[in-house]
Amino acid sequence: MIIVLKPEAGKETADEILSDIEACGLKPLHMPGKERVVLGALGDERVLGKLHLENHPMVESVKPILAPYKMVSREFKADDTVVNIGGVPIGGESFMVIAGPCAVESREQMLKTGEAVGKAGASGIRGGAYKPRTSPYSFQGLGLEGLRILREVSEKLGLPTITEVIEVADVEAVEAAASAFQVGARNMQNFRLLSALGEIRKPVVLKRGMAATIQDLLLAAEYIVSKGNPDVIICERGIKTFETAMRNTLDLGAVPYIKAESHLPVMVDPSHGTGIRELVPPMAKAAAACGADGLLIEVHHDPASALSDGKQSLYPGQFEQLMKELEVFVDASGKKLSRPG
Amino acid sequence: MIIVLKPEAGKETADEILSDIEACGLKPLHMPGKERVVLGALGDERVLGKLHLENHPMVESVKPILAPYKMVSREFKADDTVVNIGGVPIGGESFMVIAGPCAVESREQMLKTGEAVGKAGASGIRGGAYKPRTSPYSFQGLGLEGLRILREVSEKLGLPTITEVIEVADVEAVEAAASAFQVGARNMQNFRLLSALGEIRKPVVLKRGMAATIQDLLLAAEYIVSKGNPDVIICERGIKTFETAMRNTLDLGAVPYIKAESHLPVMVDPSHGTGIRELVPPMAKAAAACGADGLLIEVHHDPASALSDGKQSLYPGQFEQLMKELEVFVDASGKKLSRPG
Amino acid sequence: MIIVLKPEAGKETADEILSDIEACGLKPLHMPGKERVVLGALGDERVLGKLHLENHPMVESVKPILAPYKMVSREFKADDTVVNIGGVPIGGESFMVIAGPCAVESREQMLKTGEAVGKAGASGIRGGAYKPRTSPYSFQGLGLEGLRILREVSEKLGLPTITEVIEVADVEAVEAAASAFQVGARNMQNFRLLSALGEIRKPVVLKRGMAATIQDLLLAAEYIVSKGNPDVIICERGIKTFETAMRNTLDLGAVPYIKAESHLPVMVDPSHGTGIRELVPPMAKAAAACGADGLLIEVHHDPASALSDGKQSLYPGQFEQLMKELEVFVDASGKKLSRPG
Amino acid sequence: MIIVLKPEAGKETADEILSDIEACGLKPLHMPGKERVVLGALGDERVLGKLHLENHPMVESVKPILAPYKMVSREFKADDTVVNIGGVPIGGESFMVIAGPCAVESREQMLKTGEAVGKAGASGIRGGAYKPRTSPYSFQGLGLEGLRILREVSEKLGLPTITEVIEVADVEAVEAAASAFQVGARNMQNFRLLSALGEIRKPVVLKRGMAATIQDLLLAAEYIVSKGNPDVIICERGIKTFETAMRNTLDLGAVPYIKAESHLPVMVDPSHGTGIRELVPPMAKAAAACGADGLLIEVHHDPASALSDGKQSLYPGQFEQLMKELEVFVDASGKKLSRPG
């Protein structure tokens, strides 16, 4: 860690901070320049957090040398983590496509859509029972009944499932119903929820928050992993920017960036990332091309009647077409499409 | 609501949608143009939500005429809402300053800081017992012990208190300990929490999410108010932008904008809004000047030792100076500084 | 165009605006609702611009139905525009890769780099003679000498060239030296420059501004096309967002979005789009996968010595490897790599 | 400057870079840590720019210690710069209000508006002769005829004027017609124009670009000052963010931030900063309250007929009211309203 002192800082300030650094077990360094005095601390600087050097009235800035996350980093673990979702691998050389409606609306809807996506080649089904909605007047999900439907359809079709959990109180019920948890963008920094999921042994798909930097995202993953659950899949799903033509700005550059920084698998959700049905297939291919390990795609057997996100949901025929065209992009990226069971 | 059809849409599509609109009890309108067919629906268009017209494959765009929130709007209630926080009014002509540390760290810290801010003219104390922190390795708050300290200090000093609630499970404990709830930026769209607070009769300070538009923010307030709790105070605390010189970009324009759109009181948090101690006093004055109803300011009796946010915490002397200088700005804006009980 | 009146607007306001609409040759529509009066204007609403209805004190909002650009739109011209850059086609089924250093630094550097990229399969060379630099203390380009080198190298290697023009006064010199103009992100809204390029008959690669929406970008292209030059290539090169891990956020979703809205070819610049050498190959493949018509890639024969943008420049060996791997992605997207002359 | 090497960097890399640093006349520092080798360079690190250390394949990151601008910084010149615009001071204790229409539309319009704002207390008039417009189909300004009108009105009313210059070729004509140049947001990084204005001896109001960080903005000012013109006034006018309720997000925190970093005067343009007439007065007061040195406000004698920006232009009566209410905020901030001549 590098600590830059204000121009007006005196020798006592430098001495005080240097001895604090030494007391933490790090090697202190003194670099007196003509314009600024700069101090250094060599070693695992994460222990310096408790000194709160950035608070010091004579400190101009603090520049970390190391990333603030540890267990999720490639430096900590060099080889790719492969996560198993209900028997299907994702990560390493395995590419997994999970598809289904935004929300579980009825048994019939889940069955029809699940059959269609399974037949087209998806190796997992998605569907939300608890829906965080911007307006209190919108459909909020079927809750426990939705979880029950999801489980039934999963068993009937032999496909693993993923569904969103929005509160600690629901963790147990979701764990019983689905093959993996999804943490939505609005809950990426619900640290109580992340910690609870760290104590479970089912995979977690962690979606990037709409205003979250990649560093924030990896620190959120670190919450889960550091509490004991290594099976985290990062999901890029678009961020908020000034551009309003699409629902979000899909930050595909984050995929190779995170893959270089972390050993965790990375999925992409082109449905939320664009918000427009017609843009989902090209962005799904682009995600595979830049090294993603999987896709999360909204499909509905009848998008025009969908209770949420219909505008970004593919028709079954569009999804089937996409799966046919996708394979060459997955192969060219050195991966293989995972198959269920 | 205005519905623009795609160029390729035919007469049957228009007829189908027009009859759906009529079935919802709204007046349908047909506007066949040379380049596009445009449909209209006159009346309380919020009932059209269930038609999901945006999903329709022949619909190009849907343009609402009315705001999606209702009970929090000025159209619904023209006069200013005045909220009472532990006996102190905020809103209308009353301007309330709440100050204190980011986190409750100890009884001594809260007493020292509370005494200092009360003496300087604050009419409420803040302090977090539950701290959402970006890194799992940072101080996470004292929890129940923090709530106990907060309550004791509040009673001893005769000042109302506000503290953050981060989960439904904690609502009861926070209600017992504090005069008002704070919903933090990361929980602005924790709709389960908002709904729970809608069933309580204590005021809620609702902070704007880092990626939340003003419309998102007012819809979050609508969750609380529509469930039965009218005592919501909106808090602008900065948004995420490309500018990194400050911690956030304080969107002060949101203050007069929200005051025009809504009857709810609006506070400003210049501490999180800038992240830099020296910028807090000028931005506090600016907030008063543009019509805010109150301020939420971080003060610590010893910022250099603060366990969180020390860099943006005022020294007691700086806060005292600010309170002296602030009054003329509050007065010139047609308001009066509230005094405790 | 839809015009929503304020709740307090009276009948005279509606009548006045309706007669103004009629006077412009459009069909006026009156839609009196319970909560708002809404007016409509059917026809080519772009003529309404001169009414400035958004200024009217009784107008709440104005909602256009049609896009503000015309000649660059797919509605105006349905089939793909194919642009010819120095004999090489881009657009339609032709995919063109242009590579080279950020800046022309010397004859030797351009020759070495040009030879390397040509051998690897690039069908055009890039290199800036005029460099807009954030700091006045940075290298600003070789100017006319740079143009001379570019032309010589182009002729020697038989490869077309593209170079940036930053001012109307330089248009003639750049036209004489290069096969195509590049308008940089900082000049995307230099409307005087765009208009001047509209009067030339050489292709223009128009880079998206860092804060430009897709609509702003297409309107900038409309400046050039409406002045008489149809040969515009749009270039996505990243936008400014809150994410600081990469230099910019590459908005690849813009590629299929623009391809649907406009007939113009779309290139991607993954070098500026990420700012990090290692991310250029995966994002180049992703660009091809989502339907781009070409790539603009920074390569330097010795990036460590580059006078600008060395950090994002590929080594010749990396570029060669990329070209080998890229072809399958281009083919799978239904295009073919263009070859020079 | 601090240089962090990649984990795989060897001793030779460190030695090579250290000797390069020494060769530049700076003091090199070697800090071998357990996880990374860190190098330092003490002294005026701006000379290191030519080493391009960030390009080095073994360099992980480069962290500057000093700001990249120099002559505009408070460290270079501690006391406030006071600029004289046509006889009226701005900066230090002088607060200047410049008002007028967005564009010069006619002699009558400029006279009527100029008289109104002068009578109300403005000490300068604004009005654009060259208008950069997003669409090629919008009014583009009167050009030379506009400059002629501006000059005539200025002389008749005895008020200094400011007008935008958009290209080097127009600098001479604008210099002859106006008391000060305005560089618009879209030209903040038109470095050729900035350099040309550095060779003139008339003040320049430099508006912040829509995607420009404060550091970018101060570097743009450094272009002008380093070329010889010290009379630069910085203007905050809003930045592009995800919020669409207002035209831009006015970043008032930038005012005290820049005032701390630089000795240059800072103006605020609440008209472009919000885009909504009703928000201009509160934000003008907020600007004064947080320490701005002046305001740039759009006023039109008849906003409903304005050819551009009518929606954000004040009526003369609104401006008069604002000037009456503004004075107490200016006084409370320790400044005085400047009066013409």
Side-chain angles (χ1 to χ4, degrees):
Chain A
M1 188 174 280
I2 301 296
I3 302 106
V4 183
L5 301 186
K6 291 192 178 166
E8 59 267 33
K11 192 178 173 309
E12 334 70 71
T13 299
D15 289 347
E16 168 203 334
I17 295 178
L18 289 169
S19 83
D20 286 348
I21 290 170
E22 199 159 15
C24 286
L26 291 165
K27 191 175 153 196
L29 267 156
H30 189 212
M31 299 169 270
K34 214 168 56 185
E35 316 219 14
R36 290 286 186 293
V37 172
V38 177
L39 309 177
L42 302 181
D44 184 352
E45 64 194 32
R46 280 171 282 242
V47 306
L48 288 182
K50 64 179 186 222
L51 291 185
H52 302 287
L53 292 172
E54 68 284 0
N55 296 352
H56 198 293
M58 282 298 129
V59 167
E60 186 170 284
S61 64
V62 169
K63 297 170 195 291
I65 301 299
L66 302 175
Y69 42 82
K70 192 166 181 171
M71 298 178 73
V72 304
S73 74
R74 279 258 178 226
E75 292 194 38
F76 184 79
K77 173 172 180 289
D79 54 315
D80 289 345
T81 287
V82 180
V83 176
N84 179 310
I85 298 185
V88 181
I90 174 169
E93 294 179 4
S94 300
F95 190 96
M96 182 178 189
V97 178
I98 301 175
C102 175
V104 179
E105 297 167 10
S106 72
R107 192 174 166 281
E108 190 208 354
Q109 168 239 22
M110 280 308 296
L111 259 181
K112 279 197 180 166
T113 308
E115 269 169 16
V117 302
K119 213 179 116 195
S123 47
I125 317 177
R126 57 156 293 156
Y130 302 104
K131 299 302 308 170
R133 300 301 299 278
T134 303
S135 165
Y137 307 122
S138 299
F139 172 63
Q140 313 268 325
L142 296 182
L144 285 174
E145 170 66 6
L147 291 181
R148 211 190 48 68
I149 293 172
L150 195 68
R151 185 173 177 167
E152 181 192 337
V153 169
S154 165
E155 287 169 359
K156 194 171 169 87
L157 301 177
L159 285 169
T161 54
I162 165 172
T163 198
E164 184 166 355
V165 58
I166 62 174
E167 199 175 52
V168 173
D170 301 330
V171 168
E172 209 175 329
V174 172
E175 189 188 4
S179 317
F181 294 95
Q182 177 186 311
V183 175
R186 288 171 184 78
N187 277 308
M188 191 203 85
Q189 294 196 317
N190 184 336
F191 302 115
R192 202 75 79 83
L193 181 60
L194 300 180
S195 298
L197 295 173
E199 287 163 15
I200 306 281
R201 288 305 311 249
K202 266 204 174 162
V204 180
V205 174
L206 177 66
K207 288 191 148 189
R208 182 178 185 181
M210 281 170 273
T213 61
I214 293 173
Q215 182 171 301
D216 293 339
L217 175 55
L218 289 175
L219 279 166
E222 183 93 2
Y223 261 93
I224 304 173
V225 176
S226 69
K227 292 284 188 293
N229 184 351
D231 291 335
V232 176
I233 299 125
I234 301 286
C235 182
E236 163 62 33
R237 47 76 74 204
I239 56 174
K240 268 282 187 75
T241 71
F242 64 81
E243 177 58 74
T244 55
M246 288 162 280
R247 184 173 178 180
N248 291 290
T249 297
L250 188 64
D251 180 12
L252 280 189
V255 175
Y257 188 94
I258 295 173
K259 298 288 295 175
E261 276 292 300
S262 172
H263 52 83
L264 297 175
V266 178
M267 297 189 92
V268 170
D269 172 353
S271 308
H272 286 86
T274 62
I276 301 172
R277 189 180 295 141
E278 288 75 14
L279 302 186
V280 171
M283 299 317 287
K285 296 172 192 171
C290 69
D293 300 298
L295 290 165
L296 203 52
I297 295 184
E298 289 191 350
V299 180
H300 194 288
H301 76 283
D302 178 18
S305 77
L307 298 183
S308 59
D309 286 354
K311 196 182 170 198
Q312 71 194 32
S313 296
L314 295 185
Y315 284 81
Q318 291 176 309
F319 180 69
E320 200 185 331
Q321 181 69 18
L322 166 59
M323 288 303 291
K324 280 186 197 141
E325 296 174 4
L326 183 67
E327 193 149 17
V328 56
F329 294 95
V330 173
D331 288 351
S333 304
K335 296 184 196 282
K336 272 195 163 25
L337 274 175
S338 287
R339 304 290 174 195
Chain B
M1 188 174 281
I2 301 296
I3 302 106
V4 184
L5 301 186
K6 292 192 178 167
E8 60 266 33
K11 193 177 172 307
E12 334 69 71
T13 300
D15 289 346
E16 168 203 334
I17 295 178
L18 288 169
S19 82
D20 286 348
I21 290 169
E22 199 159 15
C24 286
L26 292 166
K27 191 176 155 195
L29 268 157
H30 189 213
M31 299 169 269
K34 212 167 55 184
E35 317 221 10
R36 290 284 186 293
V37 172
V38 177
L39 309 177
L42 302 182
D44 185 352
E45 64 194 32
R46 279 170 284 241
V47 305
L48 289 183
K50 64 178 182 223
L51 292 184
H52 304 287
L53 293 172
E54 69 284 0
N55 296 352
H56 199 292
M58 282 298 131
V59 167
E60 184 169 287
S61 63
V62 169
K63 298 170 193 291
I65 302 299
L66 303 175
Y69 40 83
K70 190 165 183 173
M71 297 178 73
V72 304
S73 74
R74 280 260 178 225
E75 292 193 38
F76 185 80
K77 173 172 179 288
D79 55 313
D80 290 342
T81 288
V82 180
V83 176
N84 179 309
I85 298 184
V88 181
I90 174 167
E93 296 179 2
S94 299
F95 190 96
M96 182 178 189
V97 178
I98 300 175
C102 175
V104 178
E105 297 166 10
S106 70
R107 192 173 167 280
E108 191 208 354
Q109 169 239 25
M110 280 309 296
L111 258 180
K112 278 197 179 165
T113 307
E115 270 169 15
V117 301
K119 214 178 116 193
S123 46
I125 318 178
R126 58 156 291 156
Y130 302 104
K131 300 300 309 168
R133 301 302 297 279
T134 303
S135 166
Y137 307 122
S138 299
F139 172 62
Q140 313 268 327
L142 296 182
L144 285 173
E145 169 66 6
L147 292 181
R148 212 192 46 70
I149 293 172
L150 196 69
R151 185 172 178 168
E152 180 192 339
V153 169
S154 166
E155 286 169 359
K156 193 172 169 91
L157 300 177
L159 285 169
T161 54
I162 166 173
T163 198
E164 185 166 354
V165 59
I166 62 174
E167 199 175 51
V168 174
D170 301 329
V171 167
E172 207 175 329
V174 172
E175 189 187 5
S179 316
F181 295 93
Q182 177 186 311
V183 174
R186 286 172 187 78
N187 277 306
M188 192 203 85
Q189 294 196 318
N190 184 333
F191 302 117
R192 202 74 80 83
L193 181 60
L194 299 180
S195 298
L197 295 173
E199 287 162 16
I200 305 281
R201 288 306 310 250
K202 267 202 173 163
V204 179
V205 173
L206 177 66
K207 287 190 149 190
R208 183 178 185 182
M210 282 171 272
T213 62
I214 293 173
Q215 182 171 302
D216 293 339
L217 175 55
L218 289 175
L219 279 166
E222 184 92 2
Y223 261 92
I224 304 174
V225 175
S226 68
K227 291 284 189 294
N229 185 351
D231 291 334
V232 176
I233 299 125
I234 301 286
C235 182
E236 163 62 34
R237 48 75 76 203
I239 56 174
K240 267 283 186 74
T241 71
F242 64 82
E243 177 58 77
T244 54
M246 290 163 279
R247 184 173 178 179
N248 290 291
T249 297
L250 188 65
D251 179 12
L252 280 189
V255 175
Y257 188 94
I258 294 174
K259 299 287 296 176
E261 276 292 299
S262 172
H263 51 84
L264 297 175
V266 179
M267 297 189 92
V268 171
D269 171 353
S271 307
H272 285 86
T274 63
I276 301 172
R277 189 180 293 141
E278 289 74 13
L279 301 186
V280 172
M283 297 319 286
K285 295 172 193 171
C290 68
D293 300 299
L295 290 165
L296 202 54
I297 295 182
E298 289 191 350
V299 180
H300 194 289
H301 77 283
D302 178 18
S305 76
L307 297 183
S308 59
D309 286 354
K311 196 182 169 195
Q312 70 195 32
S313 296
L314 295 185
Y315 283 80
Q318 291 176 309
F319 180 70
E320 200 185 332
Q321 181 69 18
L322 167 59
M323 288 304 291
K324 279 187 196 141
E325 295 173 6
L326 183 67
E327 192 149 19
V328 55
F329 294 95
V330 174
D331 288 351
S333 304
K335 296 183 194 284
K336 272 195 163 24
L337 274 175
S338 287
R339 303 292 176 193
Chain C
M1 187 173 281
I2 301 296
I3 301 106
V4 183
L5 301 186
K6 291 191 178 167
E8 60 266 34
K11 190 176 175 311
E12 334 71 69
T13 299
D15 289 346
E16 168 203 334
I17 294 178
L18 289 168
S19 82
D20 286 349
I21 290 170
E22 199 158 16
C24 286
L26 291 166
K27 191 177 155 196
L29 267 157
H30 188 214
M31 299 169 270
K34 212 166 58 182
E35 316 220 14
R36 291 285 187 293
V37 172
V38 178
L39 309 177
L42 302 181
D44 185 352
E45 64 194 33
R46 280 170 282 242
V47 305
L48 289 182
K50 64 179 185 223
L51 291 184
H52 302 287
L53 293 172
E54 68 284 0
N55 296 351
H56 198 292
M58 282 300 128
V59 168
E60 186 170 283
S61 64
V62 168
K63 298 171 194 291
I65 301 299
L66 302 175
Y69 40 83
K70 192 165 182 173
M71 298 177 72
V72 303
S73 73
R74 280 258 178 225
E75 293 193 37
F76 185 79
K77 172 173 180 289
D79 54 314
D80 289 343
T81 287
V82 180
V83 176
N84 179 310
I85 298 184
V88 180
I90 174 168
E93 295 179 3
S94 300
F95 190 96
M96 182 180 189
V97 178
I98 301 175
C102 174
V104 179
E105 297 167 11
S106 71
R107 193 174 166 281
E108 191 209 352
Q109 168 239 22
M110 279 309 296
L111 259 180
K112 279 196 180 166
T113 307
E115 269 168 16
V117 301
K119 214 179 114 195
S123 47
I125 319 177
R126 56 157 293 156
Y130 301 105
K131 299 301 309 168
R133 300 301 299 277
T134 303
S135 164
Y137 307 121
S138 299
F139 172 63
Q140 313 267 326
L142 296 182
L144 285 173
E145 169 66 6
L147 292 181
R148 212 191 47 69
I149 293 172
L150 196 67
R151 185 172 178 168
E152 182 192 337
V153 170
S154 165
E155 287 169 358
K156 193 172 169 89
L157 300 177
L159 285 169
T161 54
I162 165 172
T163 198
E164 184 165 355
V165 59
I166 62 174
E167 198 174 53
V168 173
D170 301 330
V171 167
E172 208 175 329
V174 172
E175 189 188 4
S179 317
F181 294 94
Q182 177 186 310
V183 175
R186 288 171 184 77
N187 277 308
M188 191 204 85
Q189 294 195 317
N190 184 334
F191 302 115
R192 203 73 80 83
L193 181 60
L194 300 180
S195 298
L197 295 174
E199 288 163 14
I200 305 281
R201 286 306 310 250
K202 267 204 173 160
V204 179
V205 174
L206 177 66
K207 288 190 147 190
R208 182 177 185 182
M210 282 170 273
T213 61
I214 293 173
Q215 182 171 299
D216 293 339
L217 175 55
L218 289 176
L219 279 166
E222 183 93 2
Y223 261 93
I224 304 173
V225 175
S226 68
K227 291 284 189 294
N229 184 351
D231 291 335
V232 176
I233 299 126
I234 302 287
C235 182
E236 163 62 34
R237 46 76 73 203
I239 56 175
K240 269 280 187 76
T241 72
F242 64 82
E243 178 57 74
T244 55
M246 288 162 279
R247 185 173 177 179
N248 291 290
T249 297
L250 188 65
D251 179 12
L252 281 190
V255 175
Y257 187 95
I258 295 174
K259 297 288 296 176
E261 276 291 299
S262 171
H263 52 83
L264 297 175
V266 178
M267 297 189 92
V268 170
D269 172 352
S271 308
H272 286 86
T274 62
I276 300 172
R277 189 181 295 140
E278 287 76 14
L279 302 185
V280 171
M283 298 317 287
K285 295 172 193 171
C290 68
D293 300 298
L295 290 165
L296 203 53
I297 295 183
E298 290 191 349
V299 180
H300 195 287
H301 77 285
D302 177 18
S305 77
L307 298 183
S308 58
D309 287 353
K311 196 183 169 194
Q312 70 194 34
S313 296
L314 295 185
Y315 284 81
Q318 292 176 309
F319 180 69
E320 201 185 330
Q321 181 69 19
L322 166 59
M323 288 304 291
K324 278 186 199 142
E325 296 174 4
L326 183 67
E327 194 150 16
V328 56
F329 294 95
V330 174
D331 288 351
S333 304
K335 296 184 195 282
K336 271 195 162 26
L337 274 174
S338 287
R339 305 291 175 192
Chain D
M1 188 174 280
I2 300 296
I3 301 106
V4 183
L5 301 187
K6 291 191 179 166
E8 60 267 33
K11 192 176 172 310
E12 334 69 71
T13 299
D15 288 347
E16 168 204 333
I17 295 179
L18 288 169
S19 83
D20 285 348
I21 290 170
E22 198 159 17
C24 285
L26 291 166
K27 191 175 155 196
L29 267 157
H30 188 213
M31 297 169 271
K34 213 167 54 183
E35 317 220 13
R36 290 284 187 292
V37 172
V38 177
L39 309 177
L42 303 180
D44 184 352
E45 65 194 30
R46 279 170 284 241
V47 304
L48 290 183
K50 64 179 183 223
L51 292 183
H52 302 288
L53 293 172
E54 69 283 0
N55 296 352
H56 198 293
M58 282 297 130
V59 167
E60 184 169 287
S61 64
V62 168
K63 300 171 192 289
I65 301 298
L66 302 175
Y69 41 82
K70 190 165 183 172
M71 297 178 72
V72 304
S73 74
R74 281 259 178 225
E75 293 193 38
F76 185 79
K77 174 172 179 287
D79 55 312
D80 289 344
T81 287
V82 180
V83 176
N84 179 310
I85 297 184
V88 180
I90 174 168
E93 296 179 2
S94 300
F95 189 98
M96 183 177 188
V97 178
I98 301 175
C102 175
V104 178
E105 296 166 10
S106 71
R107 193 175 166 279
E108 192 208 353
Q109 169 239 23
M110 279 309 296
L111 258 180
K112 277 197 180 163
T113 307
E115 269 169 15
V117 302
K119 215 179 115 194
S123 47
I125 318 179
R126 59 156 290 156
Y130 302 104
K131 299 302 308 169
R133 300 303 297 280
T134 303
S135 166
Y137 307 121
S138 300
F139 173 63
Q140 312 268 326
L142 296 183
L144 285 173
E145 170 65 7
L147 291 180
R148 212 192 47 68
I149 293 173
L150 195 70
R151 183 172 179 170
E152 182 192 336
V153 169
S154 166
E155 284 170 359
K156 192 171 169 94
L157 300 176
L159 285 168
T161 54
I162 166 173
T163 198
E164 184 165 354
V165 59
I166 62 173
E167 198 174 54
V168 174
D170 301 329
V171 167
E172 208 175 328
V174 173
E175 189 188 4
S179 316
F181 295 94
Q182 178 186 310
V183 174
R186 287 172 186 77
N187 278 307
M188 192 203 85
Q189 294 196 317
N190 184 334
F191 302 117
R192 202 74 80 83
L193 181 60
L194 299 180
S195 298
L197 295 173
E199 286 163 15
I200 305 281
R201 288 305 310 251
K202 268 203 173 163
V204 179
V205 173
L206 177 66
K207 288 191 149 190
R208 183 178 185 181
M210 281 170 274
T213 62
I214 294 173
Q215 182 171 302
D216 293 339
L217 175 55
L218 289 175
L219 279 166
E222 184 93 1
Y223 261 93
I224 305 173
V225 175
S226 68
K227 291 284 189 294
N229 185 351
D231 291 335
V232 176
I233 298 125
I234 301 286
C235 182
E236 163 61 33
R237 47 75 75 204
I239 57 175
K240 267 281 185 74
T241 71
F242 64 81
E243 177 58 75
T244 54
M246 290 164 278
R247 184 173 178 181
N248 290 290
T249 296
L250 189 64
D251 179 12
L252 280 189
V255 175
Y257 188 94
I258 295 174
K259 297 288 296 177
E261 276 292 298
S262 171
H263 52 84
L264 296 175
V266 178
M267 297 189 92
V268 171
D269 172 352
S271 307
H272 286 85
T274 63
I276 301 171
R277 190 180 293 140
E278 290 73 15
L279 301 185
V280 171
M283 298 317 288
K285 295 172 192 171
C290 68
D293 300 299
L295 290 165
L296 203 53
I297 295 182
E298 289 191 350
V299 181
H300 194 288
H301 78 282
D302 178 18
S305 76
L307 298 183
S308 59
D309 286 354
K311 195 182 169 195
Q312 70 195 33
S313 296
L314 295 184
Y315 283 81
Q318 291 176 309
F319 180 69
E320 201 185 330
Q321 181 69 18
L322 166 59
M323 288 304 291
K324 278 186 196 141
E325 295 173 6
L326 183 67
E327 193 150 18
V328 55
F329 293 94
V330 174
D331 289 351
S333 304
K335 296 183 193 288
K336 272 194 162 28
L337 274 174
S338 286
R339 305 293 177 191

